[in-house]
mmCIF file of all heavy atoms in Angstrom:
data_model
loop_
_atom_site.group_PDB
_atom_site.id
_atom_site.type_symbol
_atom_site.label_atom_id
_atom_site.label_comp_id
_atom_site.label_asym_id
_atom_site.label_seq_id
_atom_site.Cartn_x
_atom_site.Cartn_y
_atom_site.Cartn_z
ATOM 1 N N ASP A 341 93.401 69.308 137.320
ATOM 2 C CA ASP A 341 94.853 69.189 137.461
ATOM 3 C C ASP A 341 95.596 70.349 136.805
ATOM 4 O O ASP A 341 96.764 70.572 137.106
ATOM 5 C CB ASP A 341 95.334 67.862 136.866
ATOM 6 C CG ASP A 341 96.635 67.395 137.500
ATOM 7 O OD1 ASP A 341 96.781 67.559 138.728
ATOM 8 O OD2 ASP A 341 97.503 66.879 136.784
ATOM 9 N N LYS A 342 94.939 71.088 135.913
ATOM 10 C CA LYS A 342 95.577 72.256 135.310
ATOM 11 C C LYS A 342 95.480 73.462 136.237
ATOM 12 O O LYS A 342 96.435 74.215 136.406
ATOM 13 C CB LYS A 342 94.934 72.574 133.960
ATOM 14 C CG LYS A 342 95.212 71.541 132.880
ATOM 15 C CD LYS A 342 94.589 71.944 131.546
ATOM 16 C CE LYS A 342 94.906 70.909 130.467
ATOM 17 N NZ LYS A 342 94.277 71.279 129.167
ATOM 18 N N ALA A 343 94.319 73.653 136.842
ATOM 19 C CA ALA A 343 94.117 74.782 137.760
ATOM 20 C C ALA A 343 94.542 74.443 139.183
ATOM 21 O O ALA A 343 94.607 75.324 140.039
ATOM 22 C CB ALA A 343 92.653 75.209 137.749
ATOM 23 N N HIS A 344 94.829 73.162 139.448
ATOM 24 C CA HIS A 344 95.228 72.692 140.782
ATOM 25 C C HIS A 344 94.195 73.076 141.831
ATOM 26 O O HIS A 344 94.528 73.640 142.885
ATOM 27 C CB HIS A 344 96.616 73.249 141.158
ATOM 28 C CG HIS A 344 97.701 72.796 140.249
ATOM 29 N ND1 HIS A 344 98.384 71.612 140.408
ATOM 30 C CD2 HIS A 344 98.224 73.357 139.121
ATOM 31 C CE1 HIS A 344 99.281 71.469 139.450
ATOM 32 N NE2 HIS A 344 99.195 72.510 138.651
ATOM 33 N N GLN A 345 92.939 72.725 141.558
ATOM 34 C CA GLN A 345 91.876 73.028 142.504
ATOM 35 C C GLN A 345 90.689 72.096 142.277
ATOM 36 O O GLN A 345 90.590 71.428 141.253
ATOM 37 C CB GLN A 345 91.414 74.478 142.357
ATOM 38 C CG GLN A 345 90.753 74.779 141.020
ATOM 39 C CD GLN A 345 90.370 76.237 140.872
ATOM 40 O OE1 GLN A 345 90.956 77.105 141.524
ATOM 41 N NE2 GLN A 345 89.404 76.509 140.025
ATOM 42 N N PHE A 346 89.790 72.068 143.282
ATOM 43 C CA PHE A 346 88.566 71.288 143.174
ATOM 44 C C PHE A 346 87.442 72.186 142.671
ATOM 45 O O PHE A 346 87.266 73.305 143.155
ATOM 46 C CB PHE A 346 88.175 70.703 144.535
ATOM 47 C CG PHE A 346 89.027 69.552 144.976
ATOM 48 C CD1 PHE A 346 90.113 69.755 145.810
ATOM 49 C CD2 PHE A 346 88.743 68.255 144.562
ATOM 50 C CE1 PHE A 346 90.901 68.694 146.231
ATOM 51 C CE2 PHE A 346 89.528 67.186 144.969
ATOM 52 C CZ PHE A 346 90.605 67.405 145.805
ATOM 53 N N ASN A 347 86.670 71.682 141.717
ATOM 54 C CA ASN A 347 85.505 72.398 141.209
ATOM 55 C C ASN A 347 84.275 71.532 141.410
ATOM 56 O O ASN A 347 84.291 70.326 141.113
ATOM 57 C CB ASN A 347 85.670 72.715 139.718
ATOM 58 C CG ASN A 347 86.835 73.652 139.451
ATOM 59 O OD1 ASN A 347 87.066 74.609 140.197
ATOM 60 N ND2 ASN A 347 87.594 73.385 138.403
ATOM 61 N N GLN A 348 83.204 72.137 141.911
ATOM 62 C CA GLN A 348 82.001 71.363 142.187
ATOM 63 C C GLN A 348 81.371 70.866 140.893
ATOM 64 O O GLN A 348 81.266 71.592 139.908
ATOM 65 C CB GLN A 348 80.985 72.182 142.977
ATOM 66 C CG GLN A 348 79.785 71.351 143.432
ATOM 67 C CD GLN A 348 79.003 72.016 144.544
ATOM 68 O OE1 GLN A 348 79.208 73.187 144.849
ATOM 69 N NE2 GLN A 348 78.107 71.278 145.159
ATOM 70 N N LEU A 349 80.949 69.605 140.925
ATOM 71 C CA LEU A 349 80.278 69.003 139.782
ATOM 72 C C LEU A 349 78.796 69.354 139.838
ATOM 73 O O LEU A 349 78.116 69.068 140.828
ATOM 74 C CB LEU A 349 80.456 67.481 139.819
ATOM 75 C CG LEU A 349 79.631 66.669 138.813
ATOM 76 C CD1 LEU A 349 80.006 67.040 137.385
ATOM 77 C CD2 LEU A 349 79.815 65.171 139.053
ATOM 78 N N ASN A 350 78.315 69.987 138.789
ATOM 79 C CA ASN A 350 76.896 70.308 138.693
ATOM 80 C C ASN A 350 76.263 69.393 137.647
ATOM 81 O O ASN A 350 76.726 69.319 136.515
ATOM 82 C CB ASN A 350 76.715 71.776 138.289
ATOM 83 C CG ASN A 350 77.248 72.726 139.339
ATOM 84 O OD1 ASN A 350 76.970 72.569 140.521
ATOM 85 N ND2 ASN A 350 78.035 73.703 138.929
ATOM 86 N N TYR A 351 75.218 68.691 138.028
ATOM 87 C CA TYR A 351 74.529 67.831 137.077
ATOM 88 C C TYR A 351 73.024 68.050 137.211
ATOM 89 O O TYR A 351 72.497 68.345 138.283
ATOM 90 C CB TYR A 351 74.893 66.356 137.251
ATOM 91 C CG TYR A 351 75.043 65.869 138.671
ATOM 92 C CD1 TYR A 351 73.968 65.349 139.373
ATOM 93 C CD2 TYR A 351 76.288 65.911 139.305
ATOM 94 C CE1 TYR A 351 74.115 64.895 140.666
ATOM 95 C CE2 TYR A 351 76.453 65.451 140.596
ATOM 96 C CZ TYR A 351 75.347 64.939 141.276
ATOM 97 O OH TYR A 351 75.493 64.498 142.554
ATOM 98 N N ASP A 352 72.336 67.915 136.087
ATOM 99 C CA ASP A 352 70.920 68.245 136.023
ATOM 100 C C ASP A 352 70.055 67.277 136.803
ATOM 101 O O ASP A 352 69.024 67.655 137.363
ATOM 102 C CB ASP A 352 70.447 68.284 134.555
ATOM 103 C CG ASP A 352 71.173 69.351 133.754
ATOM 104 O OD1 ASP A 352 71.590 70.357 134.373
ATOM 105 O OD2 ASP A 352 71.346 69.163 132.532
#
Side-chain angles (χ1 to χ4, degrees):
D341 206 39
K342 291 182 179 179
H344 298 274
Q345 65 183 24
F346 286 95
N347 296 319
Q348 187 163 12
L349 171 62
N350 296 313
Y351 39 90
D352 298 332

